[in-house]
Amino acid sequence: MLQSKTRWRILEQNELLAQELADELRVSMLTARLLVRRGIQTVQAAKRFLHYEEPTFYDPFLLKGMEETIERIALAVKRKERILVFGDYDADGVSSTSVMLTALQTYGADCDYYIPNRFTEGYGPNCPALDFAKRQGYHLVITVDTGISALNEAAHAKDIGLDLIITDHHEPGPVLPDAYAIIHPKQPGCGYPFKELAGVGVAFKLAHALNGELPEDLLDLCAIGTIADLVPLIDENRLLAKKGLRAIESSGRPGIRALKEVCGMKQEAMDADHIGFAIGPRLNAAGRLDSANPAVELLLADDEEEAKALATEIDSLNKERQAIVSKMTEEAIRLVETTYGTKIPHAIVVAKEGWNPGVIGIVASRLVEQFYRPTIVMSIDESSGLAKGSARSIEGFDMYQELANNRDILPHFGGHPMAAGMTLKTEDIDDLRSRLIKQAKETLTDDMLTPATDIDLVAEVEDVTVQVIGELQALAPFGVANRKPIVLVEGAHISDMRRIGSNQNHLKIQFTGAQKPLDGIAFRMGHLFEEITPHAKLSAIGTVSLNEWNGKVKPQLIIDDLAVLEWQLFDWRSIQPNRLNSRLLDLPREKLVAISFQEGTKERLGLDVPVYDYRQAPSFFKAYVVLLDLPSNRVELETLFSKKGEPSRVYVVFSEEEESFFQTNPNREQFKWYYGFIKKNQRFSLNQLGAKLEKHKGWSARTVEFMTTVFLELGFIKLDDGIVEAVENPEKKALTASPTYQAKQEKAWLENEFVFASYQQLKEWFQAAIDGSAETKEESILNGL
């Protein structure tokens, strides 16, 4: 058995609907099942989703506040009033700023942008910035990707005669700012049909309304913010991302071309991962470490050399950011482990002075990966007495709502169910920690504290073909709410498994199919090589992709997790004694049950792990049972497995001081001859005639000693001080009446059955023993009823 890292949950499948889609669309059942799982349950909806029929964007004027906003911008342009775009410092914020500024400039507005400094101003609009805008002669401020929680700032703008228009997508609170206009799809009274736009999506809709037609030249910028901000890639977001990715591929924007170059992207087709793991983090890096302005300047650059310089600067900031994150994560993990030991509470809140507030969100994500708990990481500013925090959550714990229950100590907070940011007094950190742990304990069950993986599709090895993968890729771009499908290949035989990579830290596995094999790659799972037997039926979950090599295209499974659902037999019979100890020490101590049948085995093998005498062995249930030596008889082993339950693994060592199987094992004719020799000589010195006897018959001294002992036990001879004397008229007895003869035959049988048996023979013997244990338990239960 090999335990998976996460709980696997196979999502419910509607086979009837899937079959209808498969027939109508002429696609595989895997593709049809995935469409149904994604809520696409009609042929018409499937055609729209797959873009068999070109979808259209919603009318931007369906957004509440859009008409007032367009009228106010038109008035500003007519009066030649200056407009300030107030953005945010993440990838969504800088792309929103770029979209809005470009749209306003195209419309003829006199405009500029302002992004607050994360370290000196914090998140969102602030009064000093608004005062600055007023002094600089701005009459209208338009926020992008921020502002929905700026109650005091909106009131201040009104007081100083500054019109404030808020465009945002973050969760609105119970009270909205008193602004000139608000464009937010989730605000009360907004009839816009899609509520999950990113900040840049809202800005794009405003640009659409200003432009009078779809601003296709802004789709590349819109895709960056939409994908990077992890909003659901469904409905209009999917359309924006899909069209935007194609726009990025052919973008003539110097900034985007320079970004692609520093990311190592050539002319390849763009997908959501390119944004999520390469472009997005680099744009975020500027605002995390310093000012986000270089990121905006890069996206807006119209000069190739300037763009290259800015892209290089941002790339360097990203590398610096990675180093800082690594160091802070190590410190945070140590802080959690030293504070709580192995009993991690239901929620984690850690804080430290000097932590970079620009990357605490990333560190919070790393802690969630490590401990799977709702987590807040805070940076303490001793001079101001404030702490800035970033939160990341897990399934079943709505972080925004749970923080909202603590508004009394959180003067500033905002975000989503899975992520949030906040500012609070340092003196309130302990209070927030205790409250959040209590809230999490009341909300999260023990099962919910183990990460779960939802499985979209269950496939046979032969189901995963180049054609099917091509069909599944038509559902891209993948992201939140339309993630890459997780595929389960269950109980497959392995035809090949080996470690790969310069450090041997990856696994390459070939699954056996009815017609063709399926390759699997398990990155950073090389350590599992020793935990999977070549004969195991292996289950794997992951994502499917196409592997192109030397002109050949093959399907492959990129493995996320592995499991062996049945007990496994590991053959360690040929392991060298000097390696056995280290291999045992590598096994988890809490699962290890090492068994010996003979005295002195632990010392003989030089082991540093606990070894149980077979008579005192604990339960085998889910244990790693190691059989170090052979029992004296088969009953000892059969009894052991009949009483101790089914193990997770059995490791067979069966070490012996000496092997009796290859020692002379006299047959009946040899016993007969030797007895005749004794009768003929009647009385002789074993020491004197023994050597001659050995030479004459080719027997070893042990053979002679063994047969002599058997005859002595049967009463056929007397032995006194090395003198053998035949007994007159002894009682007739079979050789099997001798305990020594029985032990010899039993040991030879045990060696034949266990030491020299094939792997398959061993597996079958132990399976029968384990099945017998299960039957015995079932009979016991039935007898008790």
Side-chain angles (χ1 to χ4, degrees):
M1 189 172 289
L2 174 67
Q3 186 64 46
S4 58
K5 294 181 296 185
T6 65
R7 291 178 291 123
W8 295 0
R9 300 185 301 203
I10 300 175
L11 299 175
E12 185 180 347
Q13 306 286 337
N14 188 322
E15 290 295 295
L16 187 60
L17 272 177
Q19 189 64 63
E20 289 178 10
L21 287 186
D23 294 341
E24 289 287 335
L25 298 171
R26 295 185 179 180
V27 295
S28 67
M29 277 297 287
L30 285 185
T31 303
R33 287 183 187 122
L34 185 61
L35 286 167
V36 173
R37 273 293 327 143
R38 299 288 157 92
I40 302 157
Q41 302 187 349
T42 67
V43 173
Q44 195 62 33
K47 287 181 176 179
R48 283 199 303 271
F49 190 84
L50 295 171
H51 291 183
Y52 290 175
E53 299 172 359
E54 185 64 25
T56 56
F57 288 94
Y58 298 121
D59 182 351
F61 285 98
L62 293 175
L63 281 161
K64 181 181 179 181
M66 186 63 79
E67 288 189 12
E68 300 96 303
T69 296
I70 298 302
E71 288 173 2
R72 182 64 186 86
I73 292 172
L75 184 62
V77 171
K78 182 180 178 181
R79 293 177 176 174
K80 299 188 183 306
E81 293 176 338
R82 300 184 70 195
I83 302 174
L84 184 66
V85 177
F86 196 104
D88 189 25
Y89 33 65
D90 65 2
D92 188 14
V94 299
S95 56
S96 301
T97 302
S98 303
V99 164
M100 186 65 74
L101 200 67
T102 302
L104 289 172
Q105 288 171 342
T106 302
Y107 192 70
D110 178 7
C111 56
D112 206 342
Y113 73 91
Y114 183 96
I115 294 181
N117 186 289
R118 182 192 296 260
F119 304 97
T120 59
E121 297 173 81
Y123 171 79
N126 59 84
C127 294
L130 295 173
D131 290 336
F132 169 80
K134 183 66 176 176
R135 289 196 303 272
Q136 293 296 310
Y138 291 99
H139 294 82
L140 175 62
V141 173
I142 303 175
T143 74
V144 287
D145 190 35
T146 187
I148 197 62
S149 60
L151 304 181
N152 295 333
E153 291 75 14
H156 182 71
K158 193 173 238 184
D159 288 344
I160 62 175
L162 201 58
D163 285 345
L164 177 66
I165 293 174
I166 293 171
T167 76
D168 200 356
H169 74 119
H170 294 92
E171 292 295 323
V175 180
L176 298 183
D178 183 13
Y180 184 92
I182 296 176
I183 301 176
H184 192 309
K186 290 184 180 179
Q187 67 175 307
C190 181
Y192 197 71
F194 183 59
K195 304 294 185 182
E196 302 296 335
L197 290 168
V200 71
V202 178
F204 184 82
K205 301 307 294 187
L206 198 158
H208 186 176
L210 267 182
N211 196 49
E213 59 183 30
L214 190 76
E216 295 198 11
D217 61 313
L218 298 176
L219 282 168
D220 50 1
L221 298 175
C222 192
I224 291 173
T226 297
I227 295 170
D229 210 51
L230 300 179
V231 291
L233 287 190
I234 56 175
D235 205 293
E236 196 166 38
N237 282 343
R238 184 167 185 269
L239 185 57
L240 287 167
K242 194 173 182 72
K243 284 182 170 288
L245 286 169
R246 302 293 78 80
I248 292 172
E249 288 174 5
S250 58
S251 178
R253 213 179 289 277
I256 287 182
R257 290 217 300 267
L259 261 177
K260 288 168 64 178
E261 187 174 336
V262 298
C263 293
M265 301 171 193
K266 305 299 181 184
Q267 299 302 316
E268 60 195 283
M270 296 290 296
D271 63 30
D273 285 350
H274 289 109
I275 305 299
F277 296 107
I279 289 177
R282 284 169 171 81
L283 291 175
N284 278 325
R288 291 190 188 281
L289 299 187
D290 198 359
S291 167
N293 287 14
V296 178
E297 296 299 324
L298 173 62
L299 294 179
L300 295 175
D302 53 16
D303 179 79
E304 296 284 349
E305 292 305 315
E306 179 191 8
K308 286 181 180 179
L310 286 166
T312 301
E313 177 187 347
I314 284 175
D315 188 51
S316 297
L317 287 171
N318 189 51
K319 290 172 182 173
E320 183 182 347
R321 186 269 307 169
Q322 289 171 329
I324 293 170
V325 167
S326 180
K327 183 174 182 292
M328 282 176 54
T329 301
E330 289 176 8
E331 292 177 357
I333 289 173
R334 278 200 305 271
L335 188 57
V336 172
E337 291 176 340
T338 53
T339 303
Y340 301 111
T342 57
K343 293 186 177 181
I344 309 299
H346 281 60
I348 293 171
V349 177
V350 290
K352 187 176 178 182
E353 185 180 354
W355 275 350
N356 187 314
V359 299
I360 51 178
I362 302 175
V363 176
S365 295
R366 299 282 173 85
L367 292 188
V368 171
E369 291 172 9
Q370 178 81 10
F371 301 108
Y372 201 67
R373 300 288 192 274
T375 298
I376 299 177
V377 177
M378 297 185 185
S379 173
I380 297 172
D381 183 350
E382 204 61 49
S383 61
S384 66
L386 297 177
K388 292 180 181 178
S390 190
R392 297 293 183 270
S393 196
I394 65 174
E395 182 181 348
F397 192 80
D398 186 330
M399 184 61 79
Y400 177 83
Q401 188 55 52
E402 298 296 343
L403 290 175
N405 294 332
N406 299 283
R407 291 178 186 276
D408 57 312
I409 58 172
L410 294 175
H412 299 286
F413 80 96
H416 310 288
M418 297 301 287
M422 73 221 67
T423 303
L424 70 160
K425 294 178 182 177
T426 303
E427 62 201 54
D428 290 330
I429 292 175
D430 289 341
D431 192 9
L432 178 63
R433 179 185 293 112
S434 60
R435 291 189 193 187
L436 203 70
I437 290 173
K438 183 174 183 292
Q439 290 168 232
K441 198 166 185 178
E442 292 170 350
T443 305
L444 298 170
T445 64
D446 288 343
D447 277 351
M448 294 166 75
L449 295 178
T450 300
T453 301
D454 289 334
I455 296 167
D456 298 289
L457 301 169
V458 179
E460 300 293 332
V461 169
E462 48 271 15
D463 292 337
V464 185
T465 65
V466 171
Q467 179 183 341
V468 167
I469 293 173
E471 291 176 3
L472 294 175
Q473 287 178 340
L475 278 70
F478 297 114
V480 176
N482 183 40
R483 63 192 173 99
K484 285 185 180 179
I486 301 297
V487 178
L488 165 63
V489 175
E490 191 171 22
H493 289 284
I494 307 167
S495 54
D496 185 39
M497 179 175 65
R498 61 184 185 272
R499 289 189 179 104
I500 60 172
S502 56
N503 296 318
Q504 300 285 285
N505 57 337
H506 311 306
L507 272 186
K508 183 167 186 179
I509 301 169
Q510 191 171 76
F511 299 97
T512 305
Q515 286 132 9
K516 289 185 178 180
L518 173 65
D519 289 341
I521 299 292
F523 293 108
R524 295 176 297 281
M525 296 187 203
H527 61 285
L528 295 181
F529 181 82
E530 301 290 352
E531 301 192 45
I532 303 169
T533 68
H535 306 271
K537 289 182 179 179
L538 188 62
S539 297
I541 62 170
T543 56
V544 292
S545 66
L546 296 176
N547 181 26
E548 299 185 34
W549 180 255
N550 286 339
K552 292 183 179 180
V553 180
K554 294 170 63 178
Q556 68 177 357
L557 180 70
I558 307 300
I559 297 170
D560 296 329
D561 202 359
L562 291 167
V564 178
L565 304 180
E566 59 184 11
W567 75 275
Q568 292 190 87
L569 176 66
F570 291 83
D571 190 352
W572 282 11
R573 289 175 294 179
S574 61
I575 194 170
Q576 295 298 315
N578 58 348
R579 292 191 60 214
L580 177 62
N581 190 55
S582 62
R583 295 285 287 276
L584 288 173
L585 289 170
D586 286 339
L587 297 179
R589 184 63 62 90
E590 69 277 7
K591 294 183 178 181
L592 178 63
V593 178
I595 302 290
S596 70
F597 295 91
Q598 312 299 330
E599 290 186 11
T601 296
K602 177 179 179 179
E603 293 72 20
R604 175 169 61 82
L605 296 176
L607 303 182
D608 297 320
V609 298
V611 174
Y612 295 93
D613 180 280
Y614 76 100
R615 287 160 294 206
Q616 281 84 44
S619 169
F620 284 0
F621 184 64
K622 291 189 177 181
Y624 293 3
V625 176
V626 182
L627 300 174
L628 294 169
D629 53 16
L630 278 176
S632 300
N633 58 73
R634 67 195 78 178
V635 176
E636 291 177 353
L637 196 55
E638 290 168 350
T639 303
L640 195 61
F641 275 87
S642 69
K643 292 182 177 180
K644 297 298 182 180
E646 181 176 345
S648 173
R649 302 179 187 178
V650 175
Y651 294 80
V652 290
V653 180
F654 293 143
S655 170
E656 297 182 276
E657 275 192 281
E658 53 189 6
E659 295 171 352
S660 67
F661 189 81
F662 290 112
Q663 297 170 9
T664 303
N665 193 4
N667 57 32
R668 294 185 63 83
E669 291 301 318
Q670 290 169 318
F671 271 103
K672 186 177 179 181
W673 187 94
Y674 183 43
Y675 186 62
F677 175 84
I678 295 172
K679 292 280 287 182
K680 181 179 178 181
N681 288 275
Q682 287 296 311
R683 178 183 172 85
F684 62 90
S685 169
L686 190 60
N687 292 334
Q688 291 176 358
L689 289 181
K692 293 181 181 180
L693 188 63
E694 293 160 19
K695 185 176 181 181
H696 175 69
K697 297 295 290 183
W699 294 341
S700 68
R702 285 190 177 183
T703 301
V704 175
E705 180 184 350
F706 167 66
M707 289 191 291
T708 302
T709 303
V710 170
F711 287 149
L712 183 64
E713 290 175 349
L714 294 174
F716 292 174
I717 65 170
K718 297 177 183 177
L719 181 63
D720 184 21
D721 198 22
I723 302 298
V724 175
E725 183 177 354
V727 173
E728 290 288 336
N729 301 316
E731 181 185 347
K732 286 188 176 182
K733 292 181 182 178
L735 289 172
T736 53
S738 162
T740 298
Y741 183 86
Q742 290 178 6
K744 175 76 172 176
Q745 300 310 307
E746 183 70 7
K747 188 170 185 184
W749 183 90
L750 288 167
E751 287 180 353
N752 185 55
E753 288 291 310
F754 296 112
V755 179
F756 307 114
S758 69
Y759 178 93
Q760 191 57 41
Q761 289 170 325
L762 269 182
K763 177 81 173 179
E764 289 172 1
W765 191 94
F766 281 104
Q767 187 64 64
I770 290 170
D771 290 343
S773 169
E775 289 170 10
T776 301
K777 285 185 178 179
E778 187 175 336
E779 288 172 9
S780 174
I781 292 169
L782 290 172
N783 290 336
L785 294 176

